[in-house]
Amino acid sequence: MKQRSLRATVDRELCVKSGECVLIAPGDFELDAEGISVFVGAIGDEARIEEAMNNCPSHAISIIRERSANEGGNQ
Amino acid sequence: MKTATLRARFEPEIAFTTYDDVRAALHNPDLSRSISLAHEAGNILENVVMVLDREQHRDRRRVESAAFRPETLIEIERRIFPGLIHKTLAELTAGETADLVELGGVLTVGLSARNAGIDLVNGGYEEKRHLVHYLDVIARGVSIDAATRRVEVVKAEVQQALAGFRTDYFEPSVARRREAPVSDRSDVLTMLLLAQAELKLSDEDIMRETAFFLEAGSHSSAQTLTNTTHFLLEYSKIHPDAWHMVAESRLFAQRCVHESVRLRPTNTMIKRRALRDTNVGSTPVISGALIGLDIVAANSDVDVYGERAAEFDPLRVVPPSAARYGHSFGAGVHACIGRTLAIGLPIRDDREFAEGHLFGMVPLMLSVLAARGIEPAPTASVPETGTRRWTRWHSYPIKLRRR
């Protein structure tokens, strides 16, 4: 069975501290002490993480999809 | 004639009408929100966050975001706003005619003032009406590019309203914050005063910025409440249980508001000025060009919202990649900072909403008014709004059957 792991990154220079991502994907994003968003990925809800990325006003969120180590397929 | 020339120059050279093109334009950093210094200078818009670009915009917005933190929005929606609505409505008598535009303004202005950092004297209905009057005038300055009257006349009225706002509200609020700082305050005014040197802001800049936030929070919400009510009064003729559903289900109320915002956006034609040569979709845009983003057309794009896109249908199924409310709140760096507070978080048809879902202030007001039995009241002629933004109301007489 194919498996993919997903993580997101937040560009600290671009983030405007709107907190939109925290509201849309709670548990996957948090605000740090400065109010900047960080990806924590505690839930891993792919749809919500994607929605948070699409709604980020400053385009600070990027999603990285990685193939897991046990994934088969062409090498 | 000077005004005619100015107005003619404000007809966009290119208009974009599809959902995808408008989305691309809103996300394009080479298209500036600052479209004309002639309209901004001496107006409410001068140097406010809405017309800034790049780092200047980012730095201002970072400071102001503190007033819209997730925990603040949750606190407002679940604890503060419900109490404010009931307190305000208690001052209305059942059966008497009220103006929904004014009522919406009065209901939201207390909360908007709290967020903007403007202290009210007693917070009563009459004081709020007084403040709403200032904001109505200031709103004409915000939408000056669509004014039907001479730009100089609009600016003069805005200056007069700002002078009253400064004396009655702004200066006392600033004095209070400078004399006795409160460490846990996070309203826009407090945050701007703390960052005043860093952001190189004059007191006048801060006054316009707080007035702008106050106007955006109150005036737009009142217009959205009115537009949704207008749609529902028609919709309920075919769906007699609609008002009952609005009263009973906050989610249905939110669907109605999102649908109404899609069809009747507060700004029907968003404008942008190209800072350099760029592209929107496959269309080249040359440096300096004024472009128009036809929000009404884009929000009714049949490729996104289906063949009956132009109809009010709160139960419409919308693809996950699109917003139910279309592009009405903008997108990208200039996306409306108060959107979540006003209309809540996006609704998706393909899954349940999260535990922390927010419905927004306007759906909450709509639900409460529905529970009190809202109905139209016959009236004489309604004055002109003074703007080409045809989705706005000057007044909308209603009655509430129950207190």
Side-chain angles (χ1 to χ4, degrees), chain A residues 12 15-16 20 48 51 59, chain B residues 27 62 65 332 339 351:
Chain A
R12 296 181 66 83
C15 177
V16 290
E20 198 76 12
R48 285 187 207 283
E51 195 175 344
H59 307 139
Chain B
H27 284 275
R62 276 184 169 179
S65 287
R339 186 199 67 206
R351 58 171 159 71

Side-chain angles (χ1 to χ4, degrees), chain B residues 314-330:
Chain B
L315 301 175
R316 168 186 310 284
V317 175
V318 174
S321 56
R324 301 191 72 81
Y325 42 79
H327 295 306
S328 301
F329 288 89

Side-chain angles (χ1 to χ4, degrees), chain B residues 203-214:
Chain B
D203 280 4
E204 201 68 11
D205 288 331
I206 295 179
M207 192 269 292
R208 280 193 303 274
E209 189 84 347
T210 48
F212 171 71
F213 267 87
L214 194 45

